[in-house]
Amino acid sequence: MGNEAVEGLWTELFSLDNVPVHASLLPNGKVLYWGRRKDPKLDPNNPDPKIASLDEHSTLSYLWTPAEGQPDKNGKLGTSEQIEKWNQPTYFNPRDEAHENANLFCSGHCLLPSGNLLVAGGHWSDGFGVEQASIFDYQNKKWIPQPLMNNARWYPSVLTLPDGRALCLSGSDNATMNPNINNIPQIFPLEASTSTSTSTSASKPIAWTEVADPMPTDLMLDLYPRLHIDPTNGQIFMAGPKPDSWFLRIQAAETGAEIKSTSGVVGRWTDAKTKRAEGYRDYAPSVMYASGKIMYIGGGTADDGPTDVTEFIDLNVKPARWDTKTARLKTKRKQFNATVLPDGTVLVTGGTSGEGFNDLIHPVFKAELMDPSVEPKQWIEMAPEKKSRCYHSIALLLPDGRVLSAGGGEYGGCNASECHTEAQLFEPPYLHKGPRPTIESAPSVIKYTQEFHVTVGTNDLIRKISLIRLGSVTHCRNMNQSLIFLDRSKQDGSKYTIKAPTSSNIAPPGHYMLFVLNEINVPSVGAIVRVLPQAASTGKSTQSARVADVAQHTVVAPQIQSGLREHDERIIAEQAQPHVVVGLTPICPYGLGPCWGGAYDGLQAVTDIDVVRPVPNHIDCLAFVYLHQDILPNIDRWRTEFAGVVNKGYIMRGIEMTICGTVTKEKSGADERLTLAGTSTRPSLLLTPFQATSQLKWDIKANAPQPITDAEANAYNQLVAALADNPAEVQVTGTLQKHDADKLSLDVRTFEILNATIS
């Protein structure tokens, strides 16, 4: 015996059949998982894409059945089986016969009240999603395609709502060459009360409901938003990655009726008017560790890597505010997982402490544990695991109280040897403190507000009863993860009478693990119980923007609300002045289109900027803004204000201006110099040639500026020649350069003579 009662214990490594990028605990105790591609050990740098493509358009999924103890001599623990190849996710409405299958990598998912798993979105290529939705019928081990969503979604979040429906939010779409955030949420309807596959079959499609677009309030959604249910009123609370928090209300607080516009769109967004102090923090978990109590842990990109700060908010206290008191991880990290345990502690596993997106040179092996009920809140180091668990790793609480830690790789700067198909189980300290209590009998179903009975072992003294929702995890995000402690009203020997949750706001309908804990906080093996949905509302929802026609394989009914591109076109039409171009490089390797949310917020914080266009240029990594007035920006101040929101998550490469004014030519020694006249709001400006270092257009794959064209390189000389000896009214476009506090120049990329002769 070592220090297992203090720092826990890891099992030996054991093998799975793929890299479990996505994993969900099912009501039968099995873990459903899938990865990115069929064979994660193939080198994607192979020139033949048929051999090692990272963009396969199909999914192989697997079921792992946990077992006790250590792996056997063959490195196996439990059993892993592949779902039959003929029974894999397919399009409800295939694009064409050649692409009938769907890749559910980079999707979002949650467990429905029936115990079936809803999966929304998926992967076409990096940054480009699919509009697919699927249900995994866990009882029949069968994938069932669902009606398509309003647009593609890559990296969406999916959340089970208090009424049993499911909210799908965000994700990158699949626009040709320029993917953008799908900013229009949708709600998946209730399954039929039978909870069988026939309720969601292709012959009986059920439609999505369109939810209010937050864009009119200048809210740009992030990839994989961190969502929680406010137990006091059922609102959806968005904790991150952006620092500003928001609420989405689906139902009116007074009547419980659905909030619905005349066009049939539901929901209303409101600013929570509270902000996390640590700024934009992606690839970090947000955990509801007790009813209404949330912690946001680590993540983001600061000066020397991710942050170590944990921030807290209590939604039970109104108005809810992020606490100024924080806790610090022993080791800063991002790309990691956080898991709520039966005793109310929170376990952190994996991640990287290095700079950049997914630094595999500095993986974090030691786990950390916090008991947030103890003040001051602090993290305690646990035993280290054997493999790095960074980007695309998962962690999942099992009914026996252990935590599955697996995956990592596929891709984000790794190589084939770093795509981990092996896993470990962590045994928290509570499993090494003494005998475990036992649950001799427990109901399989419980109902809100009603009491139920649990019988424990004869000599067990029970101190606490906890209820933890089955986990469904990917990309640092365990969707719907929550814990509540239940009260007991009576004890008769080893039989306890326990009060069920009083509201679906506290515990949305579905399956949970029920644990009893003894006087030293050692939990039993969890009993899986189903919390039945409350009586369904009689109100009918308007169907989704897009509903698949099964017979015709077409999509019918237009989207009700305008998308980001329509918002973008409206803004362009409203503006009388030219836009300003901002060159931005995200740390996220997938480009500015998908990884846009943080940059949008950062630009909104720049004092000089009046309007940010909601659609960036993904190919060239450029954003477009309009200023309050005709000025020459102070790029140093822009960078400071921008970084105050995004930290180091993006690099502001420079600013391109389009300016109109009188250009004069004068001799400067042997050379000729061009000057653009100033105005009452901006100084005069020296014009200079456009060079390779002037280029703002970015090559994502090369991670370098794009080559400049001959026309760009010659623009300055052509302007010199066009002016002859007379000043002219010219519209000049080029990169703004700052040389010192008072000296600015513009590298001329293109120009237009507006008035060729000015006397």
Side-chain angles (χ1 to χ4, degrees):
M1 291 291 289
N3 294 321
E4 292 89 349
V6 175
E7 61 180 19
L9 179 69
W10 290 92
T11 66
E12 295 299 320
L13 292 165
F14 61 94
S15 60
L16 296 173
D17 291 322
N18 208 307
V19 177
V21 180
H22 301 260
S24 300
L25 177 64
L26 302 176
N28 56 15
K30 297 177 184 289
V31 174
L32 173 70
Y33 70 95
W34 64 90
R36 178 175 189 148
R37 53 196 175 129
K38 296 175 183 177
D39 188 349
K41 294 302 183 182
L42 292 176
D43 183 0
N45 295 315
N46 190 301
D48 185 352
K50 294 181 180 179
I51 294 177
S53 172
L54 288 176
D55 299 323
E56 295 176 2
H57 298 143
S58 60
T59 304
L60 286 182
S61 54
Y62 306 85
L63 286 171
W64 176 63
T65 304
E68 297 180 355
Q70 290 281 347
D72 62 23
K73 61 182 180 180
N74 297 314
K76 297 291 185 180
L77 181 62
T79 58
S80 183
E81 60 177 307
Q82 179 182 300
I83 307 296
E84 294 91 340
K85 290 185 178 180
W86 58 265
N87 180 21
Q88 294 295 341
T90 58
Y91 277 101
F92 181 84
N93 181 12
R95 294 163 180 245
D96 54 59
E97 293 301 322
H99 296 131
E100 185 174 352
N101 294 329
N103 190 347
L104 302 186
F105 170 65
C106 291
S107 61
H109 33 82
C110 71
L111 289 155
L112 299 173
S114 65
N116 293 335
L117 184 74
L118 172 66
V119 183
H123 180 85
W124 189 257
S125 61
D126 284 342
F128 295 78
V130 297
E131 58 267 70
Q132 170 68 11
S134 302
I135 278 182
F136 184 75
D137 178 348
Y138 78 95
Q139 297 181 75
N140 296 303
K141 295 193 291 188
K142 182 179 180 181
W143 284 101
I144 306 161
Q146 300 301 303
L148 301 184
M149 296 178 290
N150 61 356
N151 208 324
R153 298 185 188 271
W154 184 87
Y155 276 45
S157 287
V158 187
L159 186 75
T160 308
L161 298 175
D163 63 7
R165 296 181 296 170
L167 173 70
C168 184
L169 196 70
S170 187
S172 179
D173 64 22
N174 201 349
T176 303
M177 301 301 291
N178 200 47
N180 299 114
I181 297 297
N182 184 342
N183 222 51
I184 298 178
Q186 292 177 279
I187 294 176
F188 188 78
L190 287 169
E191 291 183 291
S193 58
T194 55
S195 301
T196 64
S197 60
T198 57
S199 65
T200 53
S201 67
S203 62
K204 297 180 180 179
I206 49 181
W208 294 80
T209 297
E210 195 167 318
V211 177
D213 174 16
M215 189 62 226
T217 59
D218 292 325
L219 170 56
M220 181 67 64
L221 297 174
D222 298 305
L223 297 176
Y224 281 132
R226 274 53 175 167
L227 307 176
H228 303 276
I229 301 294
D230 184 335
T232 68
N233 53 29
Q235 290 188 97
I236 295 92
F237 177 72
M238 187 162 63
K242 64 175 74 273
D244 296 281
S245 299
W246 288 79
F247 283 110
L248 170 62
R249 183 183 286 280
I250 302 296
Q251 295 173 324
E254 302 79 12
T255 64
E258 194 169 67
I259 298 171
K260 187 185 302 183
S261 70
T262 55
S263 62
V265 174
V266 305
R268 181 181 300 125
W269 289 91
T270 56
D271 187 346
K273 300 188 184 305
T274 185
K275 178 185 294 188
R276 287 184 290 97
E278 288 296 304
Y280 186 81
R281 292 160 61 190
D282 55 356
Y283 294 97
S286 174
V287 177
M288 185 174 281
Y289 60 89
S291 182
K293 297 182 178 182
I294 297 166
M295 63 171 70
Y296 202 101
I297 315 167
T301 305
D303 290 333
D304 55 352
T307 182
D308 58 1
V309 173
T310 304
E311 296 178 272
F312 302 89
I313 191 169
D314 186 351
L315 300 182
N316 300 295
V317 178
K318 304 299 182 186
R321 295 288 182 264
W322 286 100
D323 200 332
T324 55
K325 291 190 297 183
T326 60
R328 292 188 177 274
L329 292 161
K330 297 298 183 184
T331 305
K332 61 185 181 181
R333 61 183 87 196
K334 68 187 298 185
Q335 305 286 10
F336 65 104
N337 292 279
T339 308
V340 181
L341 302 182
D343 61 351
T345 58
V346 177
L347 177 72
V348 158
T349 50
T352 172
S353 64
E355 299 180 27
F357 178 73
N358 184 42
D359 184 342
L360 296 177
I361 299 175
H362 301 96
V364 184
F365 294 101
K366 281 192 174 183
E368 297 188 42
L369 189 73
M370 174 192 282
D371 183 348
S373 68
V374 176
E375 295 289 349
K377 296 181 176 67
Q378 57 184 335
W379 292 99
I380 301 171
E381 286 187 332
M382 296 285 108
E385 52 189 319
K386 290 188 174 181
K387 292 289 184 178
S388 63
R389 304 291 180 199
C390 298
Y391 186 42
H392 289 153
S393 64
I394 61 98
L396 198 62
L397 176 67
L398 302 178
D400 65 7
R402 296 184 293 180
V403 176
L404 171 67
S405 179
E410 293 285 84
Y411 245 69
C414 71
N415 56 54
S417 66
E418 293 165 319
C419 295
H420 297 305
T421 58
E422 65 285 301
Q424 281 184 278
L425 294 177
F426 181 67
E427 299 174 358
Y430 55 56
L431 294 182
H432 298 274
K433 290 184 176 180
R436 305 183 70 174
T438 58
I439 295 178
E440 300 295 334
S441 66
S444 60
V445 172
I446 60 178
K447 298 180 179 180
Y448 295 108
T449 72
Q450 296 188 10
E451 295 181 337
F452 62 95
H453 303 294
V454 171
T455 302
V456 301
T458 303
N459 297 318
D460 292 336
L461 295 176
I462 303 305
R463 179 187 174 195
K464 293 190 292 190
I465 303 102
S466 62
L467 197 65
I468 299 183
R469 192 172 179 87
L470 303 190
S472 186
V473 62
T474 188
H475 293 78
C476 310
R477 179 79 182 102
N478 193 327
M479 305 187 196
N480 273 105
Q481 178 176 222
S482 61
L483 172 144
I484 59 173
F485 287 105
L486 301 177
D487 295 326
R488 58 187 181 188
S489 61
K490 183 180 177 182
Q491 178 183 353
D492 184 7
S494 58
K495 182 179 180 180
Y496 289 80
T497 302
I498 301 170
K499 297 178 181 179
T502 57
S503 166
S504 59
N505 295 338
I506 297 172
H511 290 78
Y512 292 76
M513 289 176 281
L514 177 71
F515 295 92
V516 296
L517 297 96
N518 62 19
E519 68 279 6
I520 57 172
N521 257 2
V522 176
S524 65
V525 172
I528 296 180
V529 301
R530 183 185 181 201
V531 179
L532 285 180
Q534 292 173 318
S537 169
T538 57
K540 294 184 178 180
S541 300
T542 301
Q543 291 189 348
S544 169
R546 286 172 139 188
V547 180
D549 180 327
V550 182
Q552 300 297 322
H553 282 271
T554 59
V555 174
V556 298
Q559 185 169 285
I560 300 172
Q561 302 172 96
S562 299
L564 288 185
R565 289 172 185 81
E566 289 80 11
H567 288 309
D568 195 59
E569 292 168 1
R570 171 182 54 79
I571 290 171
I572 294 171
E574 292 172 349
Q575 296 294 325
Q577 58 182 319
H579 61 236
V580 174
V581 180
V582 186
L584 298 174
T585 305
I587 295 299
C588 161
Y590 304 121
L592 194 58
C595 309
W596 170 234
Y600 181 87
D601 293 342
L603 291 172
Q604 294 270 27
V606 175
T607 306
D608 295 331
I609 294 177
D610 182 28
V611 177
V612 181
R613 279 176 45 188
V615 176
N617 184 312
H618 170 73
I619 297 173
D620 299 331
C621 277
L622 302 174
F624 309 98
V625 302
Y626 298 93
L627 307 185
H628 288 288
Q629 58 181 335
D630 181 21
I631 62 169
L632 296 181
N634 182 328
I635 191 169
D636 292 335
R637 189 177 74 238
W638 276 38
R639 284 174 172 146
T640 298
E641 292 177 340
F642 181 72
V645 174
V646 305
N647 295 317
K648 300 294 183 180
Y650 301 80
I651 297 170
M652 186 179 287
R653 301 191 306 276
I655 300 171
E656 180 182 273
M657 306 283 294
T658 297
I659 307 173
C660 295
T662 302
V663 177
T664 58
K665 180 166 59 174
E666 60 186 50
K667 286 286 186 180
S668 178
D671 299 323
E672 292 180 309
R673 186 171 69 176
L674 301 183
T675 302
L676 178 68
T679 67
S680 61
T681 58
R682 60 171 169 80
S684 61
L685 190 61
L686 181 68
L687 302 182
T688 52
F690 194 83
Q691 307 174 60
T693 55
S694 312
Q695 181 65 279
L696 289 189
K697 295 179 181 179
W698 194 254
D699 186 326
I700 302 173
K701 292 184 178 180
N703 196 31
Q706 296 179 20
I708 65 173
T709 66
D710 290 341
E712 291 170 335
N714 295 326
Y716 178 83
N717 290 333
Q718 289 178 348
L719 178 57
V720 171
L723 287 176
D725 295 323
N726 297 316
E729 190 75 12
V730 183
Q731 177 176 282
V732 183
T733 299
T735 305
L736 188 67
Q737 303 286 2
K738 181 178 180 182
H739 303 282
D740 54 44
D742 300 314
K743 186 177 180 182
L744 296 169
S745 65
L746 193 76
D747 299 343
V748 180
R749 185 174 66 82
T750 184
F751 68 90
E752 179 183 356
I753 302 291
L754 303 178
N755 187 340
T757 303
I758 299 178
S759 57

